[in-house]
């Protein structure tokens, strides 16, 4: 998220939630940090009675990334202990999200969801990534070069 924020493209903490095979989108989201500047509309504060299956009280931010071009960025580690960045460009769609108090955005990548996930997991990503607005893979490539880090674009 810090890399995306520094280069001015926002950043929403994300993970793969579920695949919609009818729309051929992958729902990306999380119950954590979200850059309000990239929100589609005004975020909702939703009262929560359960947190990851545990009872509690409080509020959570529910938001969706703006419809249009997006890029995910994942920072992982190679087998020899070096950092590696993985970028994927796609389109945030106007598809439905679950009203559960999490940030969620349906994303359509160039490849079918199964093909995309096979390519994604072959690069050994970490569990989480960041979603930024715009097609930023070439920008993230430049950041990786400046940091002397390997970069892969799917």
């Amino acid at each position: 998220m810090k890399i995306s924020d520094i280069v001015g493209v926002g950043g929403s903490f994300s993970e793969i939630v579920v695949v919609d095979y009818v729309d051929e989108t992958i729902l990306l989201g999380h119950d954590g940090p979200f850059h309000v500047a990239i929100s589609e509309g005004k975020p909702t504060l939703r009262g929560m009675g359960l947190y990851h299956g545990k009872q509690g009280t409080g509020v959570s931010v529910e938001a969706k990334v703006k419809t249009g071009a997006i890029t995910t960025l994942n920072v992982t580690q190679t087998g020899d202990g070096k950092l590696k960045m993985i970028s994927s460009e796609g389109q945030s769609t106007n598809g439905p999200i679950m009203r559960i108090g999490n940030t969620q955005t349906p994303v359509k990548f160039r490849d079918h969801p199964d093909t995309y996930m096979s390519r994604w997991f072959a690069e050994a990503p970490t569990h989480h990534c960041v979603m930024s607005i715009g097609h930023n893979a070439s920008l993230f490539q430049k950041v990786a070069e400046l940091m002397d880090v390997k970069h892969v674009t799917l």
Side-chain angles (χ1 to χ4, degrees), residues 84-115:
K84 172 181 164 183
M85 294 181 179
I86 308 165
S87 295
S88 302
E89 294 179 336
Q91 295 290 322
S92 166
T93 74
N94 202 20
I97 63 170
M98 297 178 281
R99 305 291 180 198
I100 59 173
N102 289 355
T103 63
Q104 297 176 57
T105 304
V107 175
K108 188 171 194 86
F109 292 102
R110 180 182 64 238
D111 294 326
H112 182 274
D114 291 344
T115 303

PDB file of all heavy atoms in Angstrom, residues 84-115:
ATOM      1  N   LYS A  84      10.439  -9.686  -4.618  1.00  0.00           N
ATOM      2  CA  LYS A  84       9.922  -9.782  -5.979  1.00  0.00           C
ATOM      3  C   LYS A  84       8.551  -9.108  -5.992  1.00  0.00           C
ATOM      4  O   LYS A  84       7.769  -9.264  -5.055  1.00  0.00           O
ATOM      5  CB  LYS A  84       9.786 -11.254  -6.374  1.00  0.00           C
ATOM      6  CG  LYS A  84       9.089 -11.500  -7.697  1.00  0.00           C
ATOM      7  CD  LYS A  84       9.005 -13.013  -7.919  1.00  0.00           C
ATOM      8  CE  LYS A  84       8.029 -13.388  -8.978  1.00  0.00           C
ATOM      9  NZ  LYS A  84       7.928 -14.850  -9.112  1.00  0.00           N
ATOM     10  N   MET A  85       8.265  -8.345  -7.047  1.00  0.00           N
ATOM     11  CA  MET A  85       6.966  -7.703  -7.208  1.00  0.00           C
ATOM     12  C   MET A  85       6.201  -8.367  -8.341  1.00  0.00           C
ATOM     13  O   MET A  85       6.791  -8.731  -9.357  1.00  0.00           O
ATOM     14  CB  MET A  85       7.135  -6.215  -7.519  1.00  0.00           C
ATOM     15  CG  MET A  85       7.739  -5.420  -6.407  1.00  0.00           C
ATOM     16  SD  MET A  85       7.844  -3.688  -6.916  1.00  0.00           S
ATOM     17  CE  MET A  85       8.554  -2.972  -5.449  1.00  0.00           C
ATOM     18  N   ILE A  86       4.894  -8.505  -8.145  1.00  0.00           N
ATOM     19  CA  ILE A  86       4.018  -9.088  -9.154  1.00  0.00           C
ATOM     20  C   ILE A  86       2.886  -8.092  -9.415  1.00  0.00           C
ATOM     21  O   ILE A  86       2.189  -7.695  -8.483  1.00  0.00           O
ATOM     22  CB  ILE A  86       3.408 -10.423  -8.676  1.00  0.00           C
ATOM     23  CG1 ILE A  86       4.488 -11.380  -8.172  1.00  0.00           C
ATOM     24  CG2 ILE A  86       2.575 -11.057  -9.788  1.00  0.00           C
ATOM     25  CD1 ILE A  86       3.934 -12.550  -7.370  1.00  0.00           C
ATOM     26  N   SER A  87       2.712  -7.687 -10.666  1.00  0.00           N
ATOM     27  CA  SER A  87       1.639  -6.755 -11.036  1.00  0.00           C
ATOM     28  C   SER A  87       0.654  -7.436 -11.977  1.00  0.00           C
ATOM     29  O   SER A  87       1.038  -8.269 -12.790  1.00  0.00           O
ATOM     30  CB  SER A  87       2.202  -5.529 -11.757  1.00  0.00           C
ATOM     31  OG  SER A  87       3.012  -4.768 -10.907  1.00  0.00           O
ATOM     32  N   SER A  88      -0.609  -7.037 -11.862  1.00  0.00           N
ATOM     33  CA  SER A  88      -1.661  -7.505 -12.767  1.00  0.00           C
ATOM     34  C   SER A  88      -2.579  -6.340 -13.072  1.00  0.00           C
ATOM     35  O   SER A  88      -3.057  -5.675 -12.157  1.00  0.00           O
ATOM     36  CB  SER A  88      -2.498  -8.610 -12.112  1.00  0.00           C
ATOM     37  OG  SER A  88      -1.729  -9.703 -11.726  1.00  0.00           O
ATOM     38  N   GLU A  89      -2.827  -6.109 -14.351  1.00  0.00           N
ATOM     39  CA  GLU A  89      -3.753  -5.045 -14.739  1.00  0.00           C
ATOM     40  C   GLU A  89      -5.107  -5.638 -15.086  1.00  0.00           C
ATOM     41  O   GLU A  89      -5.191  -6.707 -15.676  1.00  0.00           O
ATOM     42  CB  GLU A  89      -3.194  -4.262 -15.929  1.00  0.00           C
ATOM     43  CG  GLU A  89      -1.928  -3.504 -15.580  1.00  0.00           C
ATOM     44  CD  GLU A  89      -1.330  -2.739 -16.727  1.00  0.00           C
ATOM     45  OE1 GLU A  89      -1.581  -3.105 -17.900  1.00  0.00           O
ATOM     46  OE2 GLU A  89      -0.601  -1.770 -16.459  1.00  0.00           O
ATOM     47  N   GLY A  90      -6.161  -4.931 -14.701  1.00  0.00           N
ATOM     48  CA  GLY A  90      -7.519  -5.383 -14.967  1.00  0.00           C
ATOM     49  C   GLY A  90      -8.482  -4.223 -14.946  1.00  0.00           C
ATOM     50  O   GLY A  90      -8.080  -3.057 -14.982  1.00  0.00           O
ATOM     51  N   GLN A  91      -9.765  -4.568 -14.874  1.00  0.00           N
ATOM     52  CA  GLN A  91     -10.830  -3.570 -14.830  1.00  0.00           C
ATOM     53  C   GLN A  91     -11.727  -3.838 -13.630  1.00  0.00           C
ATOM     54  O   GLN A  91     -12.260  -4.940 -13.476  1.00  0.00           O
ATOM     55  CB  GLN A  91     -11.688  -3.641 -16.104  1.00  0.00           C
ATOM     56  CG  GLN A  91     -10.960  -3.285 -17.372  1.00  0.00           C
ATOM     57  CD  GLN A  91     -10.629  -1.807 -17.454  1.00  0.00           C
ATOM     58  OE1 GLN A  91     -11.401  -0.953 -17.057  1.00  0.00           O
ATOM     59  NE2 GLN A  91      -9.439  -1.506 -17.946  1.00  0.00           N
ATOM     60  N   SER A  92     -11.894  -2.822 -12.789  1.00  0.00           N
ATOM     61  CA  SER A  92     -12.879  -2.873 -11.719  1.00  0.00           C
ATOM     62  C   SER A  92     -14.241  -2.731 -12.373  1.00  0.00           C
ATOM     63  O   SER A  92     -14.449  -1.828 -13.180  1.00  0.00           O
ATOM     64  CB  SER A  92     -12.628  -1.725 -10.739  1.00  0.00           C
ATOM     65  OG  SER A  92     -13.732  -1.553  -9.898  1.00  0.00           O
ATOM     66  N   THR A  93     -15.159  -3.643 -12.059  1.00  0.00           N
ATOM     67  CA  THR A  93     -16.476  -3.614 -12.690  1.00  0.00           C
ATOM     68  C   THR A  93     -17.531  -3.075 -11.729  1.00  0.00           C
ATOM     69  O   THR A  93     -17.267  -2.876 -10.542  1.00  0.00           O
ATOM     70  CB  THR A  93     -16.901  -5.012 -13.171  1.00  0.00           C
ATOM     71  OG1 THR A  93     -17.260  -5.804 -12.038  1.00  0.00           O
ATOM     72  CG2 THR A  93     -15.798  -5.681 -13.986  1.00  0.00           C
ATOM     73  N   ASN A  94     -18.701  -2.898 -12.263  1.00  0.00           N
ATOM     74  CA  ASN A  94     -19.817  -2.410 -11.461  1.00  0.00           C
ATOM     75  C   ASN A  94     -20.621  -3.568 -10.882  1.00  0.00           C
ATOM     76  O   ASN A  94     -21.783  -3.402 -10.536  1.00  0.00           O
ATOM     77  CB  ASN A  94     -20.710  -1.504 -12.332  1.00  0.00           C
ATOM     78  CG  ASN A  94     -21.530  -0.559 -11.492  1.00  0.00           C
ATOM     79  OD1 ASN A  94     -21.212  -0.300 -10.340  1.00  0.00           O
ATOM     80  ND2 ASN A  94     -22.591  -0.047 -12.065  1.00  0.00           N
ATOM     81  N   GLY A  95     -20.001  -4.732 -10.791  1.00  0.00           N
ATOM     82  CA  GLY A  95     -20.689  -5.917 -10.283  1.00  0.00           C
ATOM     83  C   GLY A  95     -21.045  -5.797  -8.813  1.00  0.00           C
ATOM     84  O   GLY A  95     -20.583  -4.899  -8.113  1.00  0.00           O
ATOM     85  N   PRO A  96     -21.869  -6.723  -8.340  1.00  0.00           N
ATOM     86  CA  PRO A  96     -22.318  -6.679  -6.946  1.00  0.00           C
ATOM     87  C   PRO A  96     -21.209  -7.037  -5.962  1.00  0.00           C
ATOM     88  O   PRO A  96     -20.257  -7.740  -6.307  1.00  0.00           O
ATOM     89  CB  PRO A  96     -23.430  -7.726  -6.907  1.00  0.00           C
ATOM     90  CG  PRO A  96     -23.069  -8.697  -7.993  1.00  0.00           C
ATOM     91  CD  PRO A  96     -22.416  -7.875  -9.068  1.00  0.00           C
ATOM     92  N   ILE A  97     -21.343  -6.519  -4.750  1.00  0.00           N
ATOM     93  CA  ILE A  97     -20.453  -6.898  -3.651  1.00  0.00           C
ATOM     94  C   ILE A  97     -21.314  -7.351  -2.480  1.00  0.00           C
ATOM     95  O   ILE A  97     -22.506  -7.032  -2.409  1.00  0.00           O
ATOM     96  CB  ILE A  97     -19.518  -5.739  -3.218  1.00  0.00           C
ATOM     97  CG1 ILE A  97     -20.307  -4.557  -2.673  1.00  0.00           C
ATOM     98  CG2 ILE A  97     -18.624  -5.318  -4.378  1.00  0.00           C
ATOM     99  CD1 ILE A  97     -19.441  -3.491  -2.005  1.00  0.00           C
ATOM    100  N   MET A  98     -20.714  -8.088  -1.576  1.00  0.00           N
ATOM    101  CA  MET A  98     -21.415  -8.512  -0.377  1.00  0.00           C
ATOM    102  C   MET A  98     -21.443  -7.350   0.613  1.00  0.00           C
ATOM    103  O   MET A  98     -20.449  -6.642   0.748  1.00  0.00           O
ATOM    104  CB  MET A  98     -20.716  -9.728   0.241  1.00  0.00           C
ATOM    105  CG  MET A  98     -20.717 -10.940  -0.662  1.00  0.00           C
ATOM    106  SD  MET A  98     -19.839 -12.340   0.055  1.00  0.00           S
ATOM    107  CE  MET A  98     -18.131 -11.863  -0.279  1.00  0.00           C
ATOM    108  N   ARG A  99     -22.529  -7.155   1.296  1.00  0.00           N
ATOM    109  CA  ARG A  99     -22.676  -6.070   2.279  1.00  0.00           C
ATOM    110  C   ARG A  99     -22.298  -6.607   3.663  1.00  0.00           C
ATOM    111  O   ARG A  99     -23.149  -6.829   4.500  1.00  0.00           O
ATOM    112  CB  ARG A  99     -24.109  -5.539   2.280  1.00  0.00           C
ATOM    113  CG  ARG A  99     -24.600  -5.093   0.924  1.00  0.00           C
ATOM    114  CD  ARG A  99     -23.877  -3.847   0.483  1.00  0.00           C
ATOM    115  NE  ARG A  99     -24.377  -3.424  -0.837  1.00  0.00           N
ATOM    116  CZ  ARG A  99     -23.735  -2.602  -1.611  1.00  0.00           C
ATOM    117  NH1 ARG A  99     -22.584  -2.105  -1.250  1.00  0.00           N
ATOM    118  NH2 ARG A  99     -24.220  -2.271  -2.770  1.00  0.00           N
ATOM    119  N   ILE A 100     -20.987  -6.792   3.843  1.00  0.00           N
ATOM    120  CA  ILE A 100     -20.499  -7.411   5.078  1.00  0.00           C
ATOM    121  C   ILE A 100     -19.487  -6.558   5.826  1.00  0.00           C
ATOM    122  O   ILE A 100     -18.804  -7.034   6.721  1.00  0.00           O
ATOM    123  CB  ILE A 100     -19.909  -8.814   4.795  1.00  0.00           C
ATOM    124  CG1 ILE A 100     -18.756  -8.718   3.804  1.00  0.00           C
ATOM    125  CG2 ILE A 100     -20.993  -9.764   4.309  1.00  0.00           C
ATOM    126  CD1 ILE A 100     -17.997 -10.019   3.586  1.00  0.00           C
ATOM    127  N   GLY A 101     -19.364  -5.292   5.449  1.00  0.00           N
ATOM    128  CA  GLY A 101     -18.458  -4.414   6.171  1.00  0.00           C
ATOM    129  C   GLY A 101     -17.010  -4.508   5.739  1.00  0.00           C
ATOM    130  O   GLY A 101     -16.127  -4.083   6.467  1.00  0.00           O
ATOM    131  N   ASN A 102     -16.742  -5.082   4.577  1.00  0.00           N
ATOM    132  CA  ASN A 102     -15.375  -5.180   4.068  1.00  0.00           C
ATOM    133  C   ASN A 102     -15.253  -4.352   2.787  1.00  0.00           C
ATOM    134  O   ASN A 102     -16.234  -4.081   2.115  1.00  0.00           O
ATOM    135  CB  ASN A 102     -15.006  -6.627   3.715  1.00  0.00           C
ATOM    136  CG  ASN A 102     -14.837  -7.496   4.925  1.00  0.00           C
ATOM    137  OD1 ASN A 102     -14.903  -7.042   6.060  1.00  0.00           O
ATOM    138  ND2 ASN A 102     -14.627  -8.773   4.707  1.00  0.00           N
ATOM    139  N   THR A 103     -14.024  -3.994   2.427  1.00  0.00           N
ATOM    140  CA  THR A 103     -13.794  -3.415   1.110  1.00  0.00           C
ATOM    141  C   THR A 103     -13.843  -4.571   0.116  1.00  0.00           C
ATOM    142  O   THR A 103     -13.274  -5.629   0.362  1.00  0.00           O
ATOM    143  CB  THR A 103     -12.432  -2.706   1.040  1.00  0.00           C
ATOM    144  OG1 THR A 103     -11.399  -3.658   1.247  1.00  0.00           O
ATOM    145  CG2 THR A 103     -12.337  -1.600   2.075  1.00  0.00           C
ATOM    146  N   GLN A 104     -14.553  -4.367  -0.982  1.00  0.00           N
ATOM    147  CA  GLN A 104     -14.686  -5.408  -1.994  1.00  0.00           C
ATOM    148  C   GLN A 104     -14.833  -4.772  -3.367  1.00  0.00           C
ATOM    149  O   GLN A 104     -15.537  -3.777  -3.513  1.00  0.00           O
ATOM    150  CB  GLN A 104     -15.914  -6.269  -1.736  1.00  0.00           C
ATOM    151  CG  GLN A 104     -15.858  -7.024  -0.433  1.00  0.00           C
ATOM    152  CD  GLN A 104     -17.148  -7.759  -0.210  1.00  0.00           C
ATOM    153  OE1 GLN A 104     -17.552  -8.572  -1.045  1.00  0.00           O
ATOM    154  NE2 GLN A 104     -17.808  -7.466   0.883  1.00  0.00           N
ATOM    155  N   THR A 105     -14.188  -5.375  -4.355  1.00  0.00           N
ATOM    156  CA  THR A 105     -14.279  -4.876  -5.722  1.00  0.00           C
ATOM    157  C   THR A 105     -14.209  -6.058  -6.682  1.00  0.00           C
ATOM    158  O   THR A 105     -13.244  -6.826  -6.645  1.00  0.00           O
ATOM    159  CB  THR A 105     -13.106  -3.908  -6.017  1.00  0.00           C
ATOM    160  OG1 THR A 105     -13.130  -2.855  -5.051  1.00  0.00           O
ATOM    161  CG2 THR A 105     -13.213  -3.332  -7.411  1.00  0.00           C
ATOM    162  N   PRO A 106     -15.210  -6.221  -7.575  1.00  0.00           N
ATOM    163  CA  PRO A 106     -15.104  -7.250  -8.604  1.00  0.00           C
ATOM    164  C   PRO A 106     -14.170  -6.770  -9.716  1.00  0.00           C
ATOM    165  O   PRO A 106     -14.301  -5.654 -10.203  1.00  0.00           O
ATOM    166  CB  PRO A 106     -16.537  -7.418  -9.121  1.00  0.00           C
ATOM    167  CG  PRO A 106     -17.304  -6.246  -8.618  1.00  0.00           C
ATOM    168  CD  PRO A 106     -16.502  -5.554  -7.569  1.00  0.00           C
ATOM    169  N   VAL A 107     -13.215  -7.622 -10.078  1.00  0.00           N
ATOM    170  CA  VAL A 107     -12.207  -7.253 -11.074  1.00  0.00           C
ATOM    171  C   VAL A 107     -12.196  -8.275 -12.208  1.00  0.00           C
ATOM    172  O   VAL A 107     -12.198  -9.485 -11.974  1.00  0.00           O
ATOM    173  CB  VAL A 107     -10.805  -7.168 -10.425  1.00  0.00           C
ATOM    174  CG1 VAL A 107      -9.742  -6.898 -11.477  1.00  0.00           C
ATOM    175  CG2 VAL A 107     -10.779  -6.105  -9.338  1.00  0.00           C
ATOM    176  N   LYS A 108     -12.173  -7.759 -13.426  1.00  0.00           N
ATOM    177  CA  LYS A 108     -12.063  -8.612 -14.614  1.00  0.00           C
ATOM    178  C   LYS A 108     -10.649  -8.448 -15.157  1.00  0.00           C
ATOM    179  O   LYS A 108     -10.246  -7.352 -15.530  1.00  0.00           O
ATOM    180  CB  LYS A 108     -13.091  -8.207 -15.656  1.00  0.00           C
ATOM    181  CG  LYS A 108     -13.154  -9.160 -16.832  1.00  0.00           C
ATOM    182  CD  LYS A 108     -14.350  -8.825 -17.710  1.00  0.00           C
ATOM    183  CE  LYS A 108     -14.641  -9.934 -18.684  1.00  0.00           C
ATOM    184  NZ  LYS A 108     -15.484 -10.972 -18.166  1.00  0.00           N
ATOM    185  N   PHE A 109      -9.901  -9.549 -15.148  1.00  0.00           N
ATOM    186  CA  PHE A 109      -8.555  -9.552 -15.712  1.00  0.00           C
ATOM    187  C   PHE A 109      -8.635 -10.009 -17.167  1.00  0.00           C
ATOM    188  O   PHE A 109      -9.665 -10.504 -17.623  1.00  0.00           O
ATOM    189  CB  PHE A 109      -7.636 -10.460 -14.901  1.00  0.00           C
ATOM    190  CG  PHE A 109      -7.358  -9.925 -13.524  1.00  0.00           C
ATOM    191  CD1 PHE A 109      -8.012 -10.440 -12.414  1.00  0.00           C
ATOM    192  CD2 PHE A 109      -6.451  -8.889 -13.333  1.00  0.00           C
ATOM    193  CE1 PHE A 109      -7.767  -9.944 -11.145  1.00  0.00           C
ATOM    194  CE2 PHE A 109      -6.196  -8.378 -12.068  1.00  0.00           C
ATOM    195  CZ  PHE A 109      -6.859  -8.910 -10.977  1.00  0.00           C
ATOM    196  N   ARG A 110      -7.555  -9.866 -17.910  1.00  0.00           N
ATOM    197  CA  ARG A 110      -7.501 -10.244 -19.322  1.00  0.00           C
ATOM    198  C   ARG A 110      -7.833 -11.728 -19.498  1.00  0.00           C
ATOM    199  O   ARG A 110      -8.525 -12.119 -20.431  1.00  0.00           O
ATOM    200  CB  ARG A 110      -6.108  -9.919 -19.884  1.00  0.00           C
ATOM    201  CG  ARG A 110      -5.924 -10.263 -21.346  1.00  0.00           C
ATOM    202  CD  ARG A 110      -4.513  -9.952 -21.831  1.00  0.00           C
ATOM    203  NE  ARG A 110      -3.538 -10.779 -21.155  1.00  0.00           N
ATOM    204  CZ  ARG A 110      -2.506 -10.310 -20.441  1.00  0.00           C
ATOM    205  NH1 ARG A 110      -2.301  -9.030 -20.329  1.00  0.00           N
ATOM    206  NH2 ARG A 110      -1.671 -11.132 -19.841  1.00  0.00           N
ATOM    207  N   ASP A 111      -7.321 -12.562 -18.605  1.00  0.00           N
ATOM    208  CA  ASP A 111      -7.529 -14.009 -18.682  1.00  0.00           C
ATOM    209  C   ASP A 111      -8.780 -14.427 -17.912  1.00  0.00           C
ATOM    210  O   ASP A 111      -9.230 -13.737 -16.996  1.00  0.00           O
ATOM    211  CB  ASP A 111      -6.335 -14.747 -18.060  1.00  0.00           C
ATOM    212  CG  ASP A 111      -5.049 -14.551 -18.833  1.00  0.00           C
ATOM    213  OD1 ASP A 111      -5.113 -14.446 -20.073  1.00  0.00           O
ATOM    214  OD2 ASP A 111      -3.982 -14.498 -18.192  1.00  0.00           O
ATOM    215  N   HIS A 112      -9.321 -15.590 -18.267  1.00  0.00           N
ATOM    216  CA  HIS A 112     -10.396 -16.221 -17.499  1.00  0.00           C
ATOM    217  C   HIS A 112      -9.906 -16.365 -16.050  1.00  0.00           C
ATOM    218  O   HIS A 112      -8.704 -16.573 -15.816  1.00  0.00           O
ATOM    219  CB  HIS A 112     -10.709 -17.597 -18.110  1.00  0.00           C
ATOM    220  CG  HIS A 112     -11.810 -18.311 -17.432  1.00  0.00           C
ATOM    221  ND1 HIS A 112     -11.612 -19.091 -16.318  1.00  0.00           N
ATOM    222  CD2 HIS A 112     -13.141 -18.341 -17.692  1.00  0.00           C
ATOM    223  CE1 HIS A 112     -12.760 -19.596 -15.918  1.00  0.00           C
ATOM    224  NE2 HIS A 112     -13.718 -19.149 -16.746  1.00  0.00           N
ATOM    225  N   PRO A 113     -10.791 -16.259 -15.061  1.00  0.00           N
ATOM    226  CA  PRO A 113     -10.349 -16.346 -13.667  1.00  0.00           C
ATOM    227  C   PRO A 113      -9.485 -17.561 -13.334  1.00  0.00           C
ATOM    228  O   PRO A 113      -8.490 -17.438 -12.611  1.00  0.00           O
ATOM    229  CB  PRO A 113     -11.659 -16.370 -12.874  1.00  0.00           C
ATOM    230  CG  PRO A 113     -12.608 -15.588 -13.721  1.00  0.00           C
ATOM    231  CD  PRO A 113     -12.232 -15.948 -15.136  1.00  0.00           C
ATOM    232  N   ASP A 114      -9.808 -18.735 -13.871  1.00  0.00           N
ATOM    233  CA  ASP A 114      -9.001 -19.929 -13.579  1.00  0.00           C
ATOM    234  C   ASP A 114      -7.595 -19.801 -14.156  1.00  0.00           C
ATOM    235  O   ASP A 114      -6.606 -20.143 -13.494  1.00  0.00           O
ATOM    236  CB  ASP A 114      -9.666 -21.191 -14.130  1.00  0.00           C
ATOM    237  CG  ASP A 114     -10.937 -21.555 -13.390  1.00  0.00           C
ATOM    238  OD1 ASP A 114     -11.164 -21.043 -12.275  1.00  0.00           O
ATOM    239  OD2 ASP A 114     -11.722 -22.360 -13.926  1.00  0.00           O
ATOM    240  N   THR A 115      -7.497 -19.296 -15.383  1.00  0.00           N
ATOM    241  CA  THR A 115      -6.189 -19.100 -16.013  1.00  0.00           C
ATOM    242  C   THR A 115      -5.400 -18.047 -15.255  1.00  0.00           C
ATOM    243  O   THR A 115      -4.206 -18.222 -14.974  1.00  0.00           O
ATOM    244  CB  THR A 115      -6.359 -18.679 -17.486  1.00  0.00           C
ATOM    245  OG1 THR A 115      -7.130 -19.678 -18.156  1.00  0.00           O
ATOM    246  CG2 THR A 115      -5.020 -18.501 -18.180  1.00  0.00           C
TER     247      THR A 115
END
